[in-house]
Amino acid sequence: MPLPAMLDGRLRLPLVAAPMFLASGPELVLACCRAGIVGSFPAKNQRTMDGLDDWLQTIRDGLVSDTAATGKPMPPFAVNLIVHRTNATLQEELAICVRHEVPIVITSLGAVPELVDSVHAYGGLVFHDVINLRHARKAIDAGVDGLIAVAAGAGGHTGRASPFALVNEIRQVFDGTLLLSGAMSTGSDIAAAQIMGADLAYLGTRFIGTRECAAPEAYKEMIIGAALKDIVETDRVSGVNANFLAPSLAAAGLQPDGGTPQMHIDSELAAALDDAEGARAWRDIWSAGHGVGSINDTPTVAALVARLADEYHAACANQQEWLARLYGAITAV
């Protein structure tokens, strides 16, 4: 599908760096935008409203300065808002985003028409996380501009559906901007997302492993050393299904059972997680997606995006070559 006007022609890659709790901040957002992709952060990464206001001003000033220096508009940035009754500061966060005219607002855990209207009033876009067709229909009814299909294997809060099935079902009812999230770490993954029907790829875990990410160095090192077998899926940490690194569970004194890629939590671990403090669950128990096995370094964002672009274009060229050979074989018959 055609991209929205604010994205069309501004992106080096069809890619959004997903907002990551306690890991994404202004430095990462600006590095992503300067590299030619959409950068984002969760509003909850700032603990105060004044802090959120400062972060948005910092990002705005940086992008305005870059545009003035280069003569080219930078890709837009995005802020993630938790739209749920438990978020007591949602209206304050939204008001700050509206005041700064945040280009893209990413909503999670609730699609609210009034919020969408507030963002549309200044020309912004709203993208919404969905894990199934029912959630997608609700978001469409709310008037969102884009849907983020969170498929199996996504880091942090995750879905359980195959990306093929989820994208196909959503495309039957939605012709707007569609993003795909889940287990992607390479440029060829981005190309595959487009081939199956998504407009943009949505990568989170891969950007934890960058120098500009605010995650602790131990977290980055754990991701480099991890593989698919080290990812644990549970709803016991936050109340919502999510993927976490098994070594971080073990470091917190918690041991999951089994050894499969999608391990379930035994009763003893479940009780321990229930007793854990909420801050500890995200500060010390670290999330990651199934794509960790493809991550083996911590480059700058600029270097990573350049690599992803090379891989993406190589994958697209290989696809074109394969189609050309196929066409030649058909016409020769």
Side-chain angles (χ1 to χ4, degrees):
M1 299 296 116
L3 290 176
M6 76 165 63
L7 293 172
D8 193 24
R10 292 193 184 189
L11 299 179
R12 181 178 184 180
L13 274 175
L15 176 59
V16 174
M20 297 173 289
F21 189 49
L22 303 183
S24 304
E27 185 179 5
L28 181 59
V29 170
L30 286 169
C32 288
C33 293
R34 288 165 178 160
I37 65 172
V38 177
S40 69
F41 74 93
K44 290 298 181 190
N45 279 6
Q46 253 301 339
R47 312 315 291 176
T48 68
M49 295 305 106
D50 287 343
L52 176 59
D53 188 78
D54 289 343
W55 273 18
L56 289 174
Q57 192 61 53
T58 296
I59 294 169
R60 277 287 189 190
D61 290 346
L63 294 180
V64 168
S65 176
D66 289 346
T67 297
T70 64
K72 299 179 180 179
M74 296 289 108
F77 70 96
V79 174
N80 177 217
L81 298 180
I82 303 300
V83 185
H84 191 269
R85 63 181 180 276
T86 58
N87 183 7
T89 59
L90 171 61
Q91 293 307 316
E92 294 177 82
E93 293 164 359
L94 175 60
I96 293 171
C97 288
V98 169
R99 186 164 69 249
H100 284 274
E101 297 189 354
V102 170
I104 302 171
V105 172
I106 297 170
T107 53
S108 304
L109 303 179
V112 179
E114 292 78 14
L115 183 151
V116 175
D117 291 342
S118 295
V119 176
H120 283 174
Y122 63 80
L125 301 175
V126 178
F127 293 166
H128 184 69
D129 287 343
V130 301
I131 61 172
N132 54 44
L133 187 59
R134 180 174 64 87
H135 291 167
R137 290 184 186 277
K138 287 184 176 181
I140 294 167
D141 290 342
V144 302
D145 305 281
L147 297 175
I148 303 166
V150 183
H157 292 155
T158 187
R160 288 182 168 176
S162 158
F164 296 99
L166 188 56
V167 167
N168 285 339
E169 285 199 354
I170 291 173
R171 273 300 183 214
Q172 292 177 35
V173 299
F174 184 66
D175 61 1
T177 304
L178 180 58
L179 299 84
L180 179 61
S181 170
M184 294 179 289
S185 297
T186 69
S188 57
D189 295 337
I190 298 170
Q194 284 192 308
I195 290 172
M196 73 171 69
D199 300 295
L200 299 163
Y202 195 73
L203 274 64
T205 304
R206 174 60 272 197
F207 284 90
I208 295 174
T210 59
R211 296 181 193 174
E212 293 87 349
C213 181
E217 288 303 313
Y219 189 175
K220 298 178 184 182
E221 291 171 6
M222 189 176 290
I223 282 179
I224 290 174
L228 174 58
K229 66 180 178 62
D230 299 307
I231 303 301
V232 175
E233 181 186 321
T234 178
D235 63 359
R236 293 287 185 162
V237 174
S238 66
V240 179
N241 221 42
N243 282 316
F244 294 92
L245 287 159
S248 71
L249 287 164
L254 307 171
Q255 291 291 342
D257 68 337
T260 60
Q262 195 172 53
M263 291 183 283
H264 294 290
I265 302 300
D266 64 21
S267 57
E268 182 178 349
L269 176 59
L273 285 171
D274 284 340
D275 292 339
E277 297 178 3
R280 178 187 177 192
W282 288 103
R283 186 190 64 210
D284 302 325
I285 301 174
W286 295 327
S287 66
H290 286 183
V292 290
S294 301
I295 301 172
N296 53 29
D297 62 355
T298 309
T300 64
V301 168
L304 173 60
V305 172
R307 181 196 308 166
L308 293 173
D310 287 344
E311 294 168 348
Y312 171 80
H313 291 299
C316 291
N318 288 340
Q319 177 72 6
Q320 290 298 319
E321 182 181 347
W322 182 85
L323 289 173
R325 290 202 306 269
L326 178 62
Y327 179 76
I330 293 173
T331 56
V333 175

